[in-house]
Amino acid sequence: MSTDSPFAVPYDDPFGVHNLPYGVFRTAGRPQPRIGVRFGGRVLDAGAAARAVGAPAEVSGLLSAPLLNPLLAAGRPAWTRVRAALTEWLTGEQHRAAVGPLLVPLADVALDLPFEVADYVDFYASEHHAVNVGRIFRAGADPLTPNWKHLPIGYHGRAGTVVVSGSPVVRPCGQRRAGGEDAPSYGPSLRLDVEAELGFVVGGATGRGSRVAMDGADEHVFGVCLLNDWSARDVQAWEYVPLGPFLGKSFATSVSPWVVPLDALAHARTAPPPRDTPLLPYLDDAAAPPRGLDIAMELRLNGHTVSRPPFAAMYWTYAQMLAHMTVNGASLRPGDLFASGTVSGPEPDSVGALIELTHGGQRPVALPDGSTRAFLEDGDEVVITGSAPGPGGVRVGLGEVAGRVEPARD
Ligand code: CA
């Protein structure tokens, strides 16, 4: 095979055949959105490939949609069949002539939000983050609320403002009360922040009144993406009591364009941190298979790495989050998205938000250009990357989620 063959993807490429994440792409020559599967530095036009190789109607139909929702709706057995088919098309000599021309260079594609987000929930699953933020928001009190070790705390976010990586983020305006003032004022947020998180993309529907127990999580979690929960800390601090986050979060949530299948993360599974508080049976994972995920993340501000958050340090697992989210009988829809909450590890340079990194803005971070940041300035670009262990020592790439801050609008 010549090195310029689209099939000549090195064994250790983080987007090799062991990964095969799903996205939705367009090209200048064909602007209709369609499903793409990343393979090395190219994107497979998955629906066209299915037709070119004469795939079964089910596989061809699911991959010919303009977004991932029909595939998400089809459920775990169909996901397995589709992934097996894609693997065969990209590795089988007999498919090269048909599939090769359908591998489009990444540089020639635009990537869209890959699925229509149904409901969006954001959790708060890092003990380190909860302690750090609790100390800042509730100085003098116990940083962990009494419920924290008994249930994964979460809130419902705004599905309609989830945007794909690269979308600009307009600085939000809102009410905020500065320290020492009695009354709030209105204006652009002065404490705009990021939260480096992992998003879990849900497939398969459940009816109202049913629950997804922890051992059913893998039937309903299709895959993961990187997620940035942009946060206006001044708006959040004034509004969040007693019902939790609202406008300080809902202006934008960015996700990476590639959804990495859960199947590609088999080598990333790891035990979550030890539990020091007894859990109710529906959340007790002492005897469950390990559902922590060893995903290494990086948080970059204007090209400079400011932190390396380790997802393996997260206290609550995705199975616990999903079990808790449905324990009241709340139904699931294909395209539901739930996020982990800020990923923060125990080290000062492993936290996933500026508010922690700068101790509430008291200790700004220095950037290589000589400037400092307590919070984000207009024009700043934030990029979050991630990767996980794969088979045979290779990495599974999650790609990146990027966004640049635009000035507030009048
Ligand atoms: Ca969050």
Side-chain angles (χ1 to χ4, degrees):
M1 196 185 340
S2 74
T3 52
D4 59 357
S5 160
F7 297 98
V9 175
Y11 168 76
D12 58 354
D13 190 300
F15 293 95
V17 75
H18 60 289
N19 188 345
L20 303 184
Y22 297 88
V24 165
F25 77 104
R26 291 172 283 119
T27 56
R30 198 173 152 224
Q32 296 86 353
R34 52 203 191 275
I35 293 175
V37 172
R38 182 160 173 186
F39 183 53
R42 294 174 187 257
V43 179
L44 176 69
D45 187 332
R51 295 186 292 276
V53 304
E58 179 204 37
V59 171
S60 186
L62 294 174
L63 292 178
S64 296
L67 75 183
L68 295 179
N69 292 67
L71 178 59
L72 297 176
R76 172 63 59 190
W79 304 340
T80 301
R81 288 192 288 274
V82 169
R83 183 168 168 79
L86 288 163
T87 304
E88 186 195 316
W89 305 341
L90 290 167
T91 56
E93 293 274 350
Q94 72 277 25
H95 298 305
R96 288 222 163 126
V99 170
L102 302 172
L103 282 159
V104 186
L106 261 180
D108 295 344
V109 310
L111 294 163
D112 288 348
L113 187 66
F115 60 102
E116 184 181 1
V117 180
D119 285 295
Y120 168 51
V121 166
D122 193 17
F123 283 96
Y124 193 52
S126 161
E127 181 178 3
H128 303 291
H129 173 70
V131 167
N132 292 338
V133 171
R135 285 188 179 130
I136 293 166
F137 274 47
R138 292 179 298 280
D142 190 338
L144 283 187
T145 50
N147 55 358
W148 202 92
K149 290 262 173 111
H150 294 278
L151 54 82
I153 293 175
Y155 67 95
H156 279 95
R158 192 169 187 86
T161 52
V162 176
V163 297
V164 74
S165 175
S167 304
V169 174
V170 176
R171 180 179 297 274
C173 292
Q175 277 199 30
R176 62 276 200 279
R177 190 180 69 176
E181 291 182 7
D182 292 332
S185 58
Y186 171 85
S189 171
L190 302 174
R191 290 162 72 89
L192 183 59
D193 198 354
V194 298
E195 295 192 336
E197 307 195 12
L198 197 65
F200 295 90
V201 181
V202 172
T206 62
R208 278 187 300 123
S210 64
R211 303 169 189 163
V212 178
M214 283 192 296
D215 63 8
D218 294 350
E219 295 299 304
H220 286 282
V221 173
F222 173 79
V224 306
C225 58
L226 296 165
L227 185 145
N228 185 347
D229 174 26
W230 303 87
S231 299
R233 300 299 182 195
D234 40 3
V235 175
Q236 181 186 358
W238 170 236
E239 75 176 359
Y240 89 103
V241 179
L243 287 185
F246 186 36
L247 304 179
K249 301 278 194 176
S250 62
F251 54 94
T253 304
S254 302
V255 294
S256 55
W258 298 113
V259 180
V260 172
L262 199 60
D263 284 336
L265 295 172
H267 292 81
R269 289 178 183 263
T270 186
R275 281 72 171 84
D276 53 17
T277 301
L279 291 167
L280 289 170
Y282 81 95
L283 292 173
D284 187 351
D285 62 352
R291 288 203 179 85
L293 291 172
D294 178 16
I295 294 174
M297 298 167 70
E298 276 195 27
L299 174 59
R300 297 183 194 146
L301 176 51
N302 296 339
H304 175 63
T305 299
V306 295
S307 178
R308 291 184 171 84
F311 194 82
M314 300 300 273
Y315 191 87
W316 298 104
T317 68
Y318 67 88
Q320 289 170 317
M321 292 185 241
L322 191 58
H324 186 62
M325 200 166 91
T326 61
V327 75
N328 64 345
S331 52
L332 294 177
R333 289 189 292 174
D336 280 356
L337 171 68
F338 68 92
S340 62
T342 306
V343 180
S344 290
E347 309 299 333
D349 60 356
S350 69
V351 295
L354 290 178
I355 192 171
E356 294 169 78
L357 200 62
T358 67
H359 297 259
Q362 302 290 312
R363 297 183 215 165
V365 291
L367 298 178
D369 66 359
S371 65
T372 61
R373 291 292 184 284
F375 292 96
L376 297 175
E377 296 186 0
D378 292 345
D380 281 351
E381 187 189 41
V382 176
V383 175
I384 300 163
T385 66
S387 71
V394 305
R395 301 293 291 177
V396 178
L398 274 69
E400 66 174 42
V401 55
R404 190 181 295 277
V405 179
E406 290 191 349
R409 293 182 188 158
D410 292 334

